[in-house]
Amino acid sequence: MMMKPASEYPSADGLWTGLRLAPDAALGVTLDAGVEAAIVVMQGEIRWVGAGSALPVEFAGLAQHDGGGALVTPGLVDCHTHLVYGGQRANEFAMRLAGATYEEVAKAGGGIVSSVRATREADEDTLFAQAAPRLEQLLADGVCAIEIKSGYGLSLEHERKQLRVARRLGEAYGVTVRTTFLGAHALPPEYAGRSGDYIDLVCREMLPALAAEGLVDAVDVFCERIAFSLEETEQVFKAAKALGRPVKLHAEQLSDMGGAALAARYGALSCDHIEHLSADGIEAMRRSGTVAVLLPGAYYTLRDTHLPPIEALRAAGVPMAVSTDHNPGTSPTLSLLLMVNMACTLFRLTVPEALAGVTRHAARALGLQDTHGAIALGMPANFVLWSVRDAAELAYWFGQRPVHAVVRQGRIAVENAA
Ligand code: NIG
Ligand code: FE
């Protein structure tokens, strides 16, 4: 598969008719089931959305795009990925099948550090060429905005290379890319035993330089016993705050480090993974409006059995997003729709919750709630036409891609035969 460059996508301007809005609050608009919907796109923006029968007369003469009865949702948002890296780690899959844990693989020289080696060896064009087909698969699933983290370079030069590739991918495919600096993902081998020195480098040199180059939309840390401590995490958060960058956190994935409460104190956009999130962590996230990002692909790959506290998050009203966590170690999936299925099947989210998790709440986890995750007046036109009858089918047909068409940033980026 090789998609056309963004400059060749046709404009989506005009009147989209014959649509059915998925009947839940994930969409920014609600219509009674069975009511035919229409969307007006002008200059790439949503100008009107509602029941076709209520279309204002001023729009009636616009060029028409017949949706043919397709179900429509906002464009999907994949709010947590490590999409740019060298190599792959299928060998670790085999090691884990033979009984090794994620932590044992990491300690044996595999894990994140083995992707660091391969990423450092690859030049920018090679990384771009390897990441592009991955991005194309996510886009074919209806993704219209995506977060891409660094974290496999672990030096100024190589983190820069990853983030530059992320920016180039956004330009090449006309997709919104949010870059997250994850310099504190793992300790690079040359800093073995000198974690404090490496965190100093991250805070004093890498982050300021990359932020000045416009490569850092947010800052993330892997806070875990096999990665960085709570104190080190706070140092990075302070550096991010000094530069005015929002923070996120890989929090409580393997153990309860108290990372979520710390992140909430820094007004984090999101805490991600959170299988071991405590009641205090949930309360802190509720107060700070931090999004809980659920990553069922990593949970599944690691054969984890410690479920994130879904019921308590739901009861507290903490918004829950769902993402691929695409990465070569713990979640090599390239389908956000498959994560919708897993969020329902493994984590017991309802279908409306899971769909909100890959639209509205995922947008908020990136600070993009004003431009993505809903079909709403004045937003750039990002929506997906699905060839299904019922919204539940988006969770049900796991492993399939029932996309009929994708309107991304006001352009028809994908159009499949009916
Ligand atoms: O989100 N948890 C840490 N980072 C990644 C895994 C990265 C890797 O194993 O390469 C994650 O699961
Ligand atoms: Fe991750």
Side-chain angles (χ1 to χ4, degrees), residues 35-55:
V35 173
E36 192 182 300
I39 298 174
V40 174
V41 179
M42 288 172 83
Q43 289 166 325
E45 273 186 10
I46 305 286
R47 209 45 83 75
W48 188 86
V49 55
S53 57
L55 183 78

Side-chain angles (χ1 to χ4, degrees), residues 80 82 89 102 112 115 152 185 222 250 253 273 298 325 327-330:
H80 178 141
H82 310 248
R89 300 194 342 241
Y102 185 52
I112 294 170
S115 291
Y152 291 118
H185 191 198
F222 187 17
H250 279 72
Q253 180 186 11
H273 286 287
D325 188 17
N327 76 72
T330 62

Side-chain angles (χ1 to χ4, degrees), residues 80-82 85 89 92 96 102 106 110-116 149 151-152 182 185-186 220-224 226-227 250-251 253-254 272-273 295 297-299 302 324-331:
H80 178 141
T81 86
H82 310 248
Y85 53 84
R89 300 194 342 241
E92 290 179 15
R96 282 199 306 270
Y102 185 52
I112 294 170
V113 169
S114 77
S115 291
V116 171
K149 300 176 194 291
Y152 291 118
L182 178 56
H185 191 198
D220 192 353
V221 175
F222 187 17
C223 179
E224 193 52 70
I226 56 165
H250 279 72
Q253 180 186 11
L254 309 170
D272 305 38
H273 286 287
L295 303 170
Y299 177 92
L302 297 176
T324 60
D325 188 17
H326 175 84
N327 76 72
T330 62
S331 194

Side-chain angles (χ1 to χ4, degrees), residues 289-336:
T290 299
V291 177
V293 178
L294 306 172
L295 303 170
Y299 177 92
Y300 166 82
T301 301
L302 297 176
R303 300 179 74 226
D304 201 346
T305 52
H306 199 291
L307 283 164
I310 302 298
E311 191 50 60
L313 287 164
R314 185 184 282 136
V318 173
M320 292 182 277
V322 174
S323 168
T324 60
D325 188 17
H326 175 84
N327 76 72
T330 62
S331 194
T333 181
L334 288 164
S335 170
L336 188 52

